[in-house]
Amino acid sequence: MSSNAKGALLALIAFGLFSTHDVFIKTLGATYSPIQIVFFSVLLSFPLATIMLMRDAKPGTLVPVHPWWMALRTVGAVITGVSAFYAFSNLPLTQTYAILFATPLLITVLSIPVLGEKVRLPRWLAVIVGLLGVMVVLRPGTTDLTLGHAAAIVAAFAGAFASIVVRKIGAEERTVVLLLYPMTANFIVMGIALAFVYKPMPIEHLGMLAVISVMAWIAGRFIIAAYQTGEAAIVAPMQYSQILWATAYGLIFFDETPDIYTGVGAAIIIASGLFIVFRESTSGNSENTPVLRTRSRVGTPGAFRVSSLMTSGRFRDKTLAKTQDAE
């Protein structure tokens, strides 16, 4: 099996795990507030995070090099987590994924003010078409838009912003800093809010939260291995396999059947995202690749952000070598 095939397979496994993880979120979301789900998923992730962070041998302190950018990233990560969990709890899985798939389009747009990058006409057209796909899914004026739809849109925007900030400061910040601040902020903010929404949880539901944390961690490790093994242009599109999992899981567990508008809109959004990914991979410009170099799973506050872990010297060197070979 070629390295790209291995990378694609690892990514497919990772996104299959994430999709299964989202089934647990949706199941718990029928009973508990997303605030409570986020809080306990982050709390149960700390032992895994501690083990991983102990391996960070890079010298330095936990003080960010760019405190204001780190603060903005942390706010974005907190908003993303609770918004995405709310969307998964209240919308059909396919609708939630279709809207979250707009994140690469938004990363492309945000790369202009945040990174100072130039986006040329073909990618602008792809962004516009993709956002029209979101409108097809939402069908404003012909269907009732709910807080779940708003939450999914907010999660896409906040997730794109948090990811693009990592792209901006990741080369200078320690991985431990990029990981720890959003997790700690989620723990504190959701812990304070928990006082207003807490419901007692039986042991089986706590077990489901533990499964969410473990699956997010394992899936994150698989994505890292995928990017280590294969080219980003091959690995990145595998995220769209989640729509297949969402369709199957929605039908089996929640009696959800996607309507034609969700299917058409998702197809438009995915096609636009794929165009941007392949456009970046063949542009020959190593600086103009905000999507390929921003590898985060939106809406999983307990997971280790792939874009954060990719900032280590080993991964940067490998990416640079691949770029130089391509040029």
Side-chain angles (χ1 to χ4, degrees):
M1 186 181 293
S2 68
S3 59
N4 279 338
K6 289 179 182 178
L9 179 60
L10 289 168
L12 286 172
I13 294 172
F15 287 114
L17 288 170
F18 273 130
S19 298
T20 307
H21 151 292
D22 295 335
V23 171
F24 285 94
I25 292 173
K26 187 172 181 63
T27 301
L28 290 171
T31 305
Y32 305 102
S33 164
I35 291 171
Q36 185 165 341
I37 300 173
V38 171
F39 174 81
F40 281 103
S41 67
V42 171
L43 175 64
L44 296 171
S45 296
F46 270 113
L48 296 171
T50 301
I51 293 171
M52 189 169 186
L53 298 179
M54 286 171 61
R55 300 174 58 189
D56 183 8
K58 186 175 180 179
T61 69
L62 295 179
V63 178
V65 177
H66 302 280
W68 290 110
W69 281 114
M70 179 59 67
L72 289 173
R73 162 176 157 68
T74 299
V75 170
V78 171
I79 293 173
T80 301
V82 70
S83 298
F85 276 33
Y86 185 89
F88 278 120
S89 299
N90 291 275
L91 292 181
L93 287 173
T94 50
Q95 276 195 22
T96 305
Y97 278 122
I99 297 171
L100 293 181
F101 284 161
T103 300
L105 310 177
L106 299 173
I107 288 174
T108 299
V109 175
L110 290 174
S111 69
I112 300 171
V114 178
L115 302 179
E117 296 189 350
K118 295 180 180 179
V119 176
R120 302 190 185 279
L121 182 60
R123 281 201 291 164
W124 268 120
L125 292 175
V127 169
I128 292 171
V129 170
L131 295 180
L132 288 175
V134 175
M135 300 304 289
V136 172
V137 174
L138 296 177
R139 305 191 304 284
T142 62
T143 187
D144 293 331
L145 298 182
T146 66
L147 286 176
H149 295 98
I153 294 171
V154 169
F157 271 98
F161 180 76
S163 295
I164 207 74
V165 169
V166 173
R167 168 75 194 279
K168 183 175 181 66
I169 67 176
E172 299 176 60
E173 296 285 1
R174 295 179 65 196
T175 299
V176 61
V177 173
L178 290 166
L179 292 172
L180 196 57
Y181 276 70
M183 287 188 69
T184 303
N186 263 304
F187 178 76
I188 294 172
V189 173
M190 299 304 153
I192 294 172
L194 187 63
F196 302 97
V197 299
Y198 176 76
K199 290 183 179 180
M201 305 184 79
I203 189 65
E204 59 267 25
H205 287 177
L206 287 171
M208 290 174 69
L209 286 165
V211 170
I212 288 173
S213 300
V214 172
M215 291 186 75
W217 186 84
I218 294 173
R221 298 301 301 174
F222 267 99
I223 294 178
I224 293 168
Y227 277 104
Q228 283 182 278
T229 305
E231 297 175 22
I234 301 298
V235 174
M238 297 303 110
Q239 66 180 300
Y240 297 117
S241 65
Q242 291 176 106
I243 200 71
L244 302 177
W245 287 104
T247 302
Y249 282 149
L251 183 61
I252 295 169
F253 296 111
F254 306 108
D255 197 25
E256 298 173 352
T257 303
D259 58 35
I260 186 64
Y261 296 100
T262 300
V264 171
I268 294 172
I269 298 166
I270 291 171
S272 301
L274 288 174
F275 177 85
I276 289 175
V277 167
F278 289 119
R279 178 81 179 177
E280 289 186 359
S281 67
T282 58
S283 66
N285 184 350
S286 61
E287 295 300 319
N288 198 25
T289 55
V291 173
L292 284 180
R293 293 193 180 187
T294 309
R295 303 151 182 163
S296 288
R297 149 73 182 199
V298 172
T300 310
F304 307 110
R305 289 293 182 259
V306 178
S307 51
S308 304
L309 295 169
M310 289 295 185
T311 59
S312 67
R314 181 161 53 108
F315 293 119
R316 288 201 305 272
D317 293 344
K318 182 175 181 179
T319 302
L320 179 60
K322 284 187 176 181
T323 301
Q324 291 173 339
D325 290 342
E327 294 174 349

